[in-house]
Amino acid sequence: MRGIFAGIAVVATAGCAQPKQLSVDGAWVRLAAVQGRPAAAYFTIHGGPADATLINVTTDVAIRAEMHESMASGGVTSMKPIPRVAIPANTDVVFAPGGRHVMLYNMNPGITPGGRLITLTLSFADGTRILQNATVVGAGDTGTK
């Protein structure tokens, strides 16, 4: 009898699990190969129970940050600024090399690969802000271990 009640308790608590929340992980920043050129930030946004819209990403170690998207057309790769990114509910949106990314202009020259983590602030249209630490890698590094 005790085993039956234990099984019921497990099923009951599983139904009470909190819904998945909007979150960010896997953040990293690749420094530029040439001093004075922009760095790039990458991360994954995990959509929560409702649609969201990312409207800005900032960091206190760069003067300016812009969301961009790379695209290829006719054998030519280009990139353009994007003002916002839709984050559908319960969907992952990846910022990665060759796709969406955040350009970080005029980075603090004291930021070095393997040094301290930097903090990215992701701002959403509904007023939500997520602070996410990012590792720093050198030019050409992939950010993955």
Side-chain angles (χ1 to χ4, degrees), residues 36-137:
R37 301 288 299 163
Y42 308 102
F43 45 83
T44 299
I45 302 172
H46 304 284
D51 291 348
T53 302
L54 179 66
I55 59 171
N56 196 19
V57 179
T58 60
T59 180
D60 62 353
V61 298
I63 300 297
R64 186 175 97 232
E66 292 179 1
M67 294 187 292
H68 282 220
E69 186 164 21
S70 297
M71 61 211 69
S73 177
V76 177
T77 301
S78 63
M79 103 181 133
K80 68 175 184 172
I82 49 177
R84 59 191 56 229
V85 177
I87 312 297
N90 302 309
T91 301
D92 293 344
V93 174
V94 177
F95 280 60
R100 291 183 198 101
H101 56 280
V102 178
M103 299 297 295
L104 302 173
Y105 296 91
N106 300 101
M107 287 281 292
N108 179 323
I111 304 300
T112 58
R116 72 178 178 96
L117 296 176
I118 64 171
T119 302
L120 301 173
T121 302
L122 289 82
S123 300
F124 296 84
D126 67 356
T128 299
R129 291 180 192 263
I130 297 176
L131 299 166
Q132 179 64 45
N133 286 332
T135 58
V136 178
V137 301

Coordinates of all heavy atoms in Angstrom, one line a residue, residues 36-137:
G36 N 40.5 47.6 -32.2 CA 39.6 48.7 -32.7 C 38.4 48.1 -33.6 O 37.5 48.9 -33.9
R37 N 38.5 46.9 -34.0 CA 37.4 46.3 -34.7 C 36.4 45.7 -33.7 O 36.7 45.4 -32.6 CB 37.9 45.1 -35.6 CG 38.9 45.6 -36.7 CD 38.3 46.4 -37.8 NE 37.3 45.7 -38.5 CZ 36.4 46.2 -39.3 NH1 36.4 47.5 -39.5 NH2 35.5 45.4 -39.9
P38 N 35.1 45.5 -34.1 CA 34.1 45.0 -33.1 C 34.3 43.5 -32.7 O 34.8 42.7 -33.5 CB 32.8 45.2 -33.8 CG 33.1 45.3 -35.2 CD 34.5 45.8 -35.3
A39 N 33.9 43.2 -31.5 CA 33.9 41.8 -31.0 C 32.5 41.3 -31.4 O 31.6 42.1 -31.8 CB 34.1 41.8 -29.5
A40 N 32.2 40.0 -31.1 CA 30.9 39.5 -31.4 C 30.4 38.6 -30.2 O 31.3 37.9 -29.7 CB 30.9 38.7 -32.7
A41 N 29.2 38.7 -29.9 CA 28.6 37.9 -28.8 C 27.6 36.9 -29.3 O 26.9 37.2 -30.3 CB 27.9 38.8 -27.8
Y42 N 27.6 35.7 -28.7 CA 26.8 34.6 -29.1 C 26.1 34.0 -27.9 O 26.8 34.0 -26.8 CB 27.6 33.6 -29.9 CG 28.4 34.1 -31.0 CD1 29.8 34.3 -30.8 CD2 27.9 34.5 -32.2 CE1 30.6 34.8 -31.9 CE2 28.6 35.0 -33.2 CZ 30.0 35.2 -33.1 OH 30.8 35.7 -34.1
F43 N 25.0 33.4 -28.0 CA 24.2 32.8 -26.9 C 23.0 32.1 -27.5 O 22.7 32.2 -28.6 CB 23.8 33.8 -25.9 CG 23.2 35.1 -26.5 CD1 21.9 35.2 -26.9 CD2 24.0 36.2 -26.7 CE1 21.4 36.3 -27.4 CE2 23.5 37.3 -27.3 CZ 22.2 37.4 -27.7
T44 N 22.3 31.4 -26.6 CA 21.0 30.7 -26.9 C 20.0 31.3 -26.0 O 20.2 31.3 -24.8 CB 21.1 29.2 -26.8 OG1 22.1 28.7 -27.7 CG2 19.8 28.5 -27.1
I45 N 18.8 31.7 -26.6 CA 17.7 32.1 -25.8 C 16.7 31.0 -25.8 O 16.3 30.5 -26.9 CB 17.0 33.4 -26.4 CG1 18.1 34.5 -26.4 CG2 15.8 33.8 -25.5 CD1 17.6 35.8 -27.1
H46 N 16.2 30.6 -24.6 CA 15.2 29.5 -24.5 C 13.9 30.2 -24.2 O 13.7 30.9 -23.2 CB 15.5 28.6 -23.4 CG 16.9 28.0 -23.5 ND1 17.2 27.0 -24.4 CD2 18.1 28.3 -22.9 CE1 18.4 26.6 -24.4 NE2 19.0 27.4 -23.5
G47 N 12.9 30.1 -25.2 CA 11.6 30.8 -25.0 C 10.8 30.2 -23.9 O 10.9 29.0 -23.6
G48 N 10.1 31.1 -23.2 CA 9.3 30.7 -22.0 C 7.9 30.3 -22.5 O 7.7 29.9 -23.7
P49 N 6.9 30.3 -21.6 CA 5.6 29.9 -21.9 C 4.8 30.8 -22.9 O 3.8 30.4 -23.4 CB 4.9 29.8 -20.5 CG 5.7 30.8 -19.7 CD 7.1 30.7 -20.2
A50 N 5.3 32.0 -23.1 CA 4.7 33.0 -24.0 C 5.7 33.5 -25.0 O 6.9 33.5 -24.7 CB 4.1 34.2 -23.2
D51 N 5.2 34.0 -26.1 CA 6.1 34.6 -27.1 C 6.8 35.8 -26.4 O 6.3 36.5 -25.6 CB 5.4 35.1 -28.3 CG 4.8 34.0 -29.1 OD1 5.2 32.8 -28.9 OD2 4.0 34.3 -30.0
A52 N 8.1 36.1 -26.9 CA 8.8 37.3 -26.4 C 9.5 37.9 -27.6 O 9.6 37.3 -28.6 CB 9.8 36.9 -25.3
T53 N 10.0 39.1 -27.4 CA 10.7 39.8 -28.4 C 11.9 40.5 -27.8 O 11.8 41.3 -26.9 CB 9.8 40.9 -29.1 OG1 8.7 40.3 -29.6 CG2 10.6 41.6 -30.2
L54 N 13.1 40.1 -28.3 CA 14.4 40.6 -27.8 C 14.5 42.0 -28.6 O 14.5 42.0 -29.8 CB 15.5 39.7 -28.2 CG 16.9 40.2 -27.8 CD1 17.1 40.3 -26.3 CD2 18.0 39.3 -28.4
I55 N 14.7 43.1 -27.8 CA 14.9 44.4 -28.5 C 16.2 45.0 -28.3 O 16.6 46.0 -29.0 CB 13.8 45.4 -28.0 CG1 13.9 45.6 -26.5 CG2 12.4 44.9 -28.4 CD1 13.0 46.7 -25.9
N56 N 17.1 44.5 -27.4 CA 18.4 45.1 -27.2 C 19.3 44.1 -26.4 O 18.8 43.4 -25.6 CB 18.2 46.4 -26.5 CG 19.4 47.3 -26.5 OD1 20.3 47.1 -27.4 ND2 19.5 48.2 -25.6
V57 N 20.6 44.2 -26.7 CA 21.6 43.5 -25.9 C 22.7 44.6 -25.6 O 23.1 45.3 -26.6 CB 22.2 42.3 -26.6 CG1 23.3 41.7 -25.8 CG2 21.1 41.3 -27.0
T58 N 23.1 44.7 -24.4 CA 24.2 45.6 -24.0 C 25.2 45.0 -23.1 O 24.9 43.9 -22.6 CB 23.6 46.9 -23.3 OG1 22.9 46.5 -22.1 CG2 22.6 47.7 -24.2
T59 N 26.3 45.6 -22.9 CA 27.3 45.2 -21.9 C 28.0 46.5 -21.5 O 28.2 47.4 -22.3 CB 28.3 44.2 -22.5 OG1 29.3 43.8 -21.5 CG2 29.0 44.7 -23.7
D60 N 28.5 46.5 -20.3 CA 29.2 47.6 -19.8 C 30.7 47.7 -20.2 O 31.4 48.6 -19.9 CB 29.1 47.7 -18.2 CG 29.8 46.6 -17.5 OD1 30.2 45.6 -18.2 OD2 29.8 46.6 -16.3
V61 N 31.1 46.7 -21.0 CA 32.5 46.8 -21.5 C 32.6 47.1 -23.0 O 33.7 47.0 -23.6 CB 33.2 45.4 -21.2 CG1 33.3 45.1 -19.7 CG2 32.6 44.3 -22.0
A62 N 31.5 47.6 -23.6 CA 31.5 48.1 -24.9 C 30.7 49.4 -25.0 O 29.7 49.5 -24.3 CB 30.9 47.0 -25.9
I63 N 31.2 50.3 -25.9 CA 30.5 51.6 -26.0 C 29.1 51.4 -26.7 O 28.1 52.0 -26.3 CB 31.3 52.6 -26.8 CG1 32.6 52.8 -26.2 CG2 30.5 53.8 -27.1 CD1 32.5 53.5 -24.8
R64 N 29.0 50.5 -27.7 CA 27.8 50.3 -28.4 C 27.7 48.8 -28.8 O 28.7 48.1 -29.0 CB 27.8 51.1 -29.7 CG 26.6 51.1 -30.5 CD 26.7 52.1 -31.7 NE 27.0 51.3 -32.9 CZ 28.0 51.6 -33.7 NH1 28.8 52.6 -33.4 NH2 28.3 50.9 -34.7
A65 N 26.4 48.3 -28.8 CA 26.1 46.9 -29.2 C 25.0 46.9 -30.2 O 24.0 47.7 -30.0 CB 25.8 46.1 -28.0
E66 N 25.1 46.1 -31.2 CA 24.0 46.0 -32.2 C 23.7 44.6 -32.5 O 24.7 43.8 -32.8 CB 24.4 46.7 -33.5 CG 24.5 48.2 -33.5 CD 24.9 48.8 -34.8 OE1 25.1 48.1 -35.8 OE2 25.1 50.0 -34.8
M67 N 22.5 44.2 -32.6 CA 22.1 42.9 -33.1 C 22.2 42.9 -34.6 O 21.8 43.8 -35.3 CB 20.7 42.5 -32.7 CG 20.5 42.4 -31.2 SD 18.9 41.7 -30.7 CE 17.9 43.1 -31.1
H68 N 22.8 41.8 -35.1 CA 23.1 41.7 -36.6 C 22.7 40.3 -37.0 O 22.6 39.3 -36.2 CB 24.5 41.9 -36.9 CG 24.9 43.3 -37.0 ND1 25.8 43.8 -37.9 CD2 24.6 44.4 -36.2 CE1 26.0 45.1 -37.7 NE2 25.3 45.5 -36.6
E69 N 22.5 40.1 -38.3 CA 22.3 38.8 -38.9 C 23.1 38.7 -40.2 O 23.1 39.6 -41.0 CB 20.8 38.6 -39.2 CG 20.5 37.2 -39.7 CD 19.0 36.8 -39.7 OE1 18.2 37.7 -39.6 OE2 18.7 35.6 -39.6
S70 N 23.8 37.6 -40.3 CA 24.6 37.3 -41.5 C 23.8 36.5 -42.4 O 23.0 35.7 -42.0 CB 25.9 36.5 -41.1 OG 26.7 37.2 -40.3
M71 N 24.0 36.8 -43.7 CA 23.2 36.0 -44.7 C 24.1 35.9 -46.0 O 24.9 36.7 -46.2 CB 21.9 36.7 -45.0 CG 22.0 38.1 -45.6 SD 20.7 39.2 -45.1 CE 21.0 39.3 -43.4
A72 N 23.8 34.9 -46.8 CA 24.5 34.6 -48.0 C 23.5 34.8 -49.1 O 22.4 34.3 -49.1 CB 25.2 33.3 -48.0
S73 N 24.0 35.5 -50.2 CA 23.1 35.6 -51.4 C 24.1 35.7 -52.6 O 24.9 36.6 -52.6 CB 22.3 36.9 -51.2 OG 21.5 37.1 -52.4
G74 N 23.8 34.9 -53.6 CA 24.7 34.9 -54.8 C 26.1 34.7 -54.5 O 27.0 35.3 -55.2
G75 N 26.5 33.9 -53.5 CA 27.9 33.6 -53.2 C 28.5 34.7 -52.4 O 29.7 34.6 -52.1
V76 N 27.8 35.7 -52.0 CA 28.3 36.8 -51.2 C 27.7 36.8 -49.8 O 26.5 36.7 -49.7 CB 28.1 38.2 -51.9 CG1 28.6 39.3 -51.0 CG2 28.7 38.2 -53.3
T77 N 28.5 36.9 -48.8 CA 28.0 36.9 -47.4 C 28.0 38.4 -47.0 O 29.0 39.1 -47.2 CB 28.9 36.1 -46.5 OG1 28.9 34.7 -46.9 CG2 28.4 36.1 -45.1
S78 N 26.9 38.8 -46.4 CA 26.8 40.1 -45.9 C 26.1 40.1 -44.5 O 25.6 39.0 -44.1 CB 26.0 41.0 -46.8 OG 24.7 40.5 -47.0
M79 N 26.0 41.2 -43.8 CA 25.3 41.2 -42.6 C 24.6 42.5 -42.5 O 25.0 43.5 -43.1 CB 26.3 41.0 -41.4 CG 26.7 42.1 -40.6 SD 27.9 41.6 -39.4 CE 29.1 42.9 -39.6
K80 N 23.5 42.5 -41.8 CA 22.7 43.7 -41.6 C 22.2 43.8 -40.1 O 22.0 42.8 -39.5 CB 21.5 43.7 -42.5 CG 20.5 42.7 -42.2 CD 19.2 42.8 -43.1 CE 18.2 41.8 -42.7 NZ 17.0 41.9 -43.4
P81 N 22.0 45.0 -39.6 CA 21.5 45.2 -38.3 C 20.0 44.7 -38.3 O 19.3 44.8 -39.2 CB 21.5 46.7 -38.0 CG 22.4 47.2 -39.1 CD 22.4 46.3 -40.2
I82 N 19.6 44.1 -37.1 CA 18.2 43.7 -36.9 C 17.7 44.4 -35.7 O 18.4 44.4 -34.6 CB 18.0 42.2 -36.9 CG1 19.0 41.5 -35.9 CG2 18.2 41.6 -38.3 CD1 18.9 40.0 -35.8
P83 N 16.6 45.1 -35.7 CA 16.1 45.9 -34.6 C 15.5 45.0 -33.5 O 15.4 45.4 -32.3 CB 15.0 46.8 -35.2 CG 14.6 46.0 -36.4 CD 15.7 45.3 -36.9
R84 N 15.0 43.8 -33.8 CA 14.3 43.0 -32.8 C 14.4 41.5 -33.3 O 14.5 41.3 -34.5 CB 12.9 43.4 -32.5 CG 12.0 43.4 -33.8 CD 10.7 44.1 -33.5 NE 11.0 45.5 -33.1 CZ 10.4 46.0 -32.0 NH1 9.5 45.5 -31.3 NH2 10.8 47.2 -31.6
V85 N 14.3 40.6 -32.4 CA 14.2 39.2 -32.7 C 13.1 38.5 -32.0 O 13.0 38.6 -30.7 CB 15.6 38.5 -32.3 CG1 15.5 37.0 -32.6 CG2 16.7 39.1 -33.0
A86 N 12.2 37.9 -32.7 CA 11.1 37.2 -32.1 C 11.6 35.9 -31.4 O 12.4 35.2 -32.0 CB 10.0 36.9 -33.2
I87 N 11.1 35.7 -30.2 CA 11.4 34.4 -29.5 C 10.1 33.7 -29.3 O 9.3 34.0 -28.3 CB 12.1 34.8 -28.1 CG1 13.2 35.8 -28.3 CG2 12.5 33.4 -27.5 CD1 14.4 35.4 -29.1
P88 N 9.7 32.8 -30.2 CA 8.5 32.0 -30.0 C 8.5 31.3 -28.7 O 9.5 30.8 -28.2 CB 8.4 31.1 -31.2 CG 9.4 31.7 -32.2 CD 10.4 32.4 -31.4
A89 N 7.3 31.1 -28.1 CA 7.2 30.3 -26.9 C 7.7 28.9 -27.0 O 7.6 28.3 -28.1 CB 5.7 30.2 -26.5
N90 N 8.4 28.5 -26.0 CA 9.0 27.1 -25.9 C 9.9 26.8 -27.1 O 10.0 25.6 -27.5 CB 7.9 26.1 -25.8 CG 7.1 26.4 -24.5 OD1 7.6 26.5 -23.4 ND2 5.7 26.5 -24.7
T91 N 10.6 27.8 -27.6 CA 11.5 27.6 -28.8 C 12.9 28.2 -28.5 O 12.9 29.2 -27.8 CB 10.9 28.2 -30.0 OG1 9.6 27.7 -30.3 CG2 11.8 28.0 -31.2
D92 N 13.9 27.5 -28.9 CA 15.3 28.0 -28.7 C 15.6 28.9 -29.9 O 15.4 28.5 -31.1 CB 16.3 26.9 -28.6 CG 16.1 26.1 -27.3 OD1 15.4 26.6 -26.4 OD2 16.7 25.0 -27.2
V93 N 16.2 30.0 -29.7 CA 16.7 30.9 -30.7 C 18.2 31.1 -30.5 O 18.6 31.5 -29.4 CB 16.0 32.3 -30.7 CG1 16.6 33.2 -31.7 CG2 14.5 32.1 -31.0
V94 N 19.0 30.7 -31.5 CA 20.4 30.7 -31.3 C 21.1 31.8 -32.0 O 20.8 32.2 -33.2 CB 21.0 29.3 -31.9 CG1 22.5 29.3 -31.8 CG2 20.4 28.1 -31.2
F95 N 22.0 32.5 -31.3 CA 22.9 33.5 -31.9 C 24.2 32.8 -32.0 O 24.8 32.5 -31.0 CB 23.0 34.7 -30.9 CG 21.8 35.7 -31.0 CD1 20.5 35.3 -30.7 CD2 22.0 37.0 -31.4 CE1 19.5 36.2 -30.8 CE2 21.0 37.9 -31.5 CZ 19.7 37.5 -31.2
A96 N 24.7 32.6 -33.2 CA 25.9 31.8 -33.5 C 26.6 32.4 -34.7 O 26.1 33.1 -35.5 CB 25.5 30.4 -33.7
P97 N 27.9 32.1 -34.8 CA 28.7 32.5 -35.9 C 28.0 32.1 -37.2 O 27.5 31.0 -37.4 CB 30.0 31.8 -35.8 CG 30.2 31.6 -34.3 CD 28.8 31.3 -33.8
G98 N 28.0 33.0 -38.2 CA 27.3 32.8 -39.5 C 25.8 33.1 -39.5 O 25.2 32.9 -40.5
G99 N 25.3 33.5 -38.4 CA 23.9 33.8 -38.3 C 23.6 35.0 -37.4 O 24.3 36.0 -37.6
R100 N 22.7 35.0 -36.5 CA 22.5 36.1 -35.6 C 23.6 36.2 -34.7 O 24.1 35.2 -34.2 CB 21.2 35.9 -34.8 CG 19.9 36.0 -35.7 CD 18.7 35.8 -34.8 NE 17.5 35.5 -35.6 CZ 17.0 34.3 -35.7 NH1 17.5 33.3 -35.0 NH2 16.0 34.1 -36.4
H101 N 23.9 37.5 -34.3 CA 25.0 37.7 -33.4 C 24.9 39.2 -32.9 O 24.0 39.9 -33.4 CB 26.4 37.5 -34.0 CG 26.6 38.3 -35.2 ND1 26.1 37.9 -36.4 CD2 27.3 39.5 -35.4 CE1 26.5 38.8 -37.3 NE2 27.2 39.8 -36.7
V102 N 25.6 39.5 -31.9 CA 25.6 40.9 -31.4 C 27.0 41.5 -31.6 O 28.0 40.9 -31.1 CB 25.3 41.0 -29.9 CG1 25.3 42.4 -29.4 CG2 23.9 40.4 -29.6
M103 N 27.1 42.6 -32.3 CA 28.4 43.2 -32.6 C 28.6 44.2 -31.4 O 27.7 44.9 -31.0 CB 28.3 44.0 -33.9 CG 28.1 43.2 -35.1 SD 29.4 42.0 -35.5 CE 30.8 43.1 -35.8
L104 N 29.8 44.1 -30.8 CA 30.2 44.9 -29.7 C 31.3 45.9 -30.1 O 32.4 45.4 -30.4 CB 30.7 44.0 -28.5 CG 29.7 43.0 -28.0 CD1 30.3 42.0 -27.0 CD2 28.4 43.6 -27.4
Y105 N 31.0 47.1 -30.2 CA 31.9 48.2 -30.7 C 32.6 48.9 -29.6 O 32.1 49.1 -28.5 CB 31.1 49.2 -31.5 CG 30.5 48.6 -32.7 CD1 29.2 48.1 -32.7 CD2 31.2 48.6 -34.0 CE1 28.6 47.6 -33.9 CE2 30.6 48.1 -35.1 CZ 29.3 47.6 -35.0 OH 28.7 47.1 -36.2
N106 N 33.9 49.2 -29.8 CA 34.8 49.9 -28.9 C 34.8 49.2 -27.5 O 34.5 49.7 -26.5 CB 34.3 51.3 -28.7 CG 34.3 52.1 -30.0 OD1 33.2 52.3 -30.6 ND2 35.5 52.6 -30.4
M107 N 35.2 47.9 -27.6 CA 35.4 47.1 -26.4 C 36.5 47.7 -25.5 O 37.5 48.2 -26.0 CB 35.8 45.7 -26.8 CG 34.7 44.8 -27.4 SD 33.5 44.2 -26.1 CE 34.5 43.0 -25.2
N108 N 36.3 47.5 -24.2 CA 37.4 47.9 -23.3 C 38.6 47.1 -23.6 O 38.6 45.9 -23.7 CB 36.9 47.6 -21.9 CG 37.9 47.9 -20.8 OD1 39.1 47.8 -21.0 ND2 37.4 48.4 -19.7
P109 N 39.8 47.8 -23.8 CA 41.0 47.0 -24.2 C 41.5 46.1 -23.1 O 42.3 45.3 -23.4 CB 42.0 48.1 -24.6 CG 41.5 49.4 -23.9 CD 40.0 49.2 -23.8
G110 N 41.0 46.3 -21.9 CA 41.5 45.4 -20.8 C 40.8 44.0 -20.8 O 41.2 43.1 -20.1
I111 N 39.8 43.8 -21.7 CA 39.1 42.6 -21.8 C 40.0 41.6 -22.6 O 40.3 41.9 -23.8 CB 37.7 42.7 -22.4 CG1 36.9 43.7 -21.6 CG2 37.0 41.4 -22.5 CD1 36.6 43.3 -20.2
T112 N 40.4 40.5 -22.0 CA 41.3 39.6 -22.7 C 40.7 38.2 -22.7 O 39.9 37.8 -21.8 CB 42.6 39.5 -22.0 OG1 42.5 39.2 -20.6 CG2 43.3 40.9 -22.1
P113 N 41.1 37.3 -23.6 CA 40.7 35.9 -23.7 C 41.0 35.2 -22.3 O 42.1 35.4 -21.8 CB 41.4 35.3 -24.8 CG 41.8 36.4 -25.7 CD 42.1 37.6 -24.7
G114 N 40.0 34.5 -21.8 CA 40.2 33.7 -20.6 C 40.3 34.6 -19.4 O 40.4 34.1 -18.3
G115 N 40.1 35.9 -19.5 CA 40.0 36.8 -18.4 C 38.7 36.7 -17.7 O 38.0 35.6 -17.8
R116 N 38.3 37.7 -17.1 CA 37.0 37.7 -16.3 C 35.9 37.6 -17.3 O 35.9 37.9 -18.4 CB 36.9 39.0 -15.5 CG 36.6 40.2 -16.3 CD 36.4 41.4 -15.4 NE 36.2 42.7 -16.1 CZ 35.0 43.2 -16.3 NH1 34.0 42.6 -15.9 NH2 34.9 44.3 -17.0
L117 N 34.8 37.0 -16.7 CA 33.5 37.0 -17.5 C 33.0 38.4 -17.7 O 33.2 39.2 -16.9 CB 32.5 36.1 -16.7 CG 32.8 34.7 -16.5 CD1 31.7 34.0 -15.6 CD2 33.0 33.9 -17.8
I118 N 32.3 38.6 -18.8 CA 31.6 39.8 -19.0 C 30.1 39.6 -18.9 O 29.7 38.5 -19.1 CB 32.0 40.5 -20.3 CG1 31.6 39.8 -21.5 CG2 33.5 40.8 -20.3 CD1 31.8 40.5 -22.8
T119 N 29.4 40.6 -18.6 CA 27.9 40.5 -18.4 C 27.2 41.1 -19.6 O 27.5 42.2 -19.9 CB 27.4 41.1 -17.1 OG1 28.1 40.5 -16.0 CG2 25.9 40.9 -16.9
L120 N 26.3 40.3 -20.2 CA 25.4 40.8 -21.2 C 24.1 41.1 -20.6 O 23.6 40.3 -19.8 CB 25.3 39.8 -22.4 CG 26.5 39.3 -23.1 CD1 26.2 38.2 -24.0 CD2 27.2 40.5 -23.8
T121 N 23.4 42.2 -21.0 CA 22.1 42.4 -20.5 C 21.2 42.3 -21.7 O 21.3 43.1 -22.7 CB 21.9 43.8 -19.9 OG1 22.8 43.9 -18.8 CG2 20.5 44.1 -19.4
L122 N 20.2 41.4 -21.7 CA 19.3 41.2 -22.8 C 18.0 41.8 -22.4 O 17.4 41.5 -21.3 CB 19.1 39.7 -23.1 CG 20.3 39.0 -23.8 CD1 21.4 38.6 -22.8 CD2 19.9 37.8 -24.6
S123 N 17.5 42.7 -23.2 CA 16.2 43.4 -22.9 C 15.1 43.0 -23.8 O 15.3 42.9 -25.1 CB 16.4 44.9 -23.0 OG 17.4 45.4 -22.1
F124 N 14.0 42.7 -23.3 CA 12.8 42.3 -24.1 C 11.7 43.3 -24.1 O 11.6 44.2 -23.2 CB 12.3 40.9 -23.5 CG 13.3 39.8 -23.6 CD1 14.3 39.7 -22.6 CD2 13.3 39.0 -24.7 CE1 15.3 38.7 -22.7 CE2 14.3 38.0 -24.8 CZ 15.3 37.9 -23.8
A125 N 10.8 43.2 -25.1 CA 9.8 44.3 -25.3 C 8.8 44.4 -24.1 O 8.3 45.5 -23.9 CB 9.0 43.9 -26.6
D126 N 8.7 43.3 -23.3 CA 7.7 43.4 -22.2 C 8.4 44.0 -20.9 O 7.8 44.0 -19.9 CB 7.1 42.0 -21.9 CG 8.1 41.0 -21.4 OD1 9.4 41.3 -21.3 OD2 7.7 39.9 -21.0
G127 N 9.6 44.4 -21.0 CA 10.3 45.0 -19.9 C 11.2 44.0 -19.2 O 12.0 44.4 -18.3
T128 N 11.2 42.7 -19.5 CA 12.0 41.7 -18.9 C 13.5 42.0 -19.3 O 13.8 42.3 -20.4 CB 11.7 40.3 -19.4 OG1 10.3 40.0 -19.0 CG2 12.6 39.2 -18.9
R129 N 14.4 41.8 -18.3 CA 15.8 41.9 -18.6 C 16.5 40.7 -18.0 O 16.2 40.3 -16.9 CB 16.4 43.2 -17.9 CG 16.0 44.5 -18.6 CD 16.6 45.7 -17.9 NE 15.9 46.9 -18.3 CZ 16.4 47.7 -19.3 NH1 17.5 47.4 -19.9 NH2 15.7 48.7 -19.6
I130 N 17.4 40.1 -18.8 CA 18.1 39.0 -18.3 C 19.6 39.3 -18.3 O 20.1 39.7 -19.4 CB 17.8 37.7 -19.2 CG1 16.4 37.3 -19.1 CG2 18.8 36.6 -18.8 CD1 16.0 36.2 -19.9
L131 N 20.3 39.1 -17.2 CA 21.7 39.3 -17.1 C 22.4 38.0 -17.3 O 22.0 37.0 -16.6 CB 22.1 39.9 -15.8 CG 21.5 41.3 -15.5 CD1 21.7 41.6 -14.0 CD2 22.2 42.3 -16.4
Q132 N 23.3 37.9 -18.3 CA 24.0 36.6 -18.6 C 25.5 36.8 -18.6 O 25.9 37.6 -19.4 CB 23.4 36.1 -19.9 CG 24.0 34.8 -20.3 CD 23.7 33.6 -19.3 OE1 22.6 33.5 -18.9 NE2 24.7 32.9 -19.0
N133 N 26.2 36.0 -17.9 CA 27.7 36.1 -18.0 C 28.1 35.4 -19.3 O 27.5 34.4 -19.7 CB 28.3 35.4 -16.8 CG 28.2 36.2 -15.5 OD1 28.2 37.4 -15.6 ND2 28.2 35.5 -14.4
A134 N 29.2 35.9 -19.8 CA 29.7 35.4 -21.1 C 31.2 35.2 -20.9 O 31.9 36.1 -20.4 CB 29.4 36.3 -22.2
T135 N 31.7 34.1 -21.4 CA 33.2 33.8 -21.4 C 33.8 34.6 -22.6 O 33.0 35.0 -23.6 CB 33.5 32.4 -21.6 OG1 32.9 31.9 -22.8 CG2 33.0 31.5 -20.4
V136 N 35.0 34.9 -22.5 CA 35.7 35.7 -23.6 C 36.8 34.8 -24.2 O 37.6 34.2 -23.5 CB 36.3 37.0 -23.0 CG1 37.1 37.7 -24.1 CG2 35.3 37.9 -22.4
V137 N 36.7 34.7 -25.6 CA 37.7 34.0 -26.3 C 38.4 34.9 -27.3 O 37.9 35.9 -27.7 CB 37.1 32.8 -27.0 CG1 36.4 31.8 -26.0 CG2 36.1 33.2 -28.1

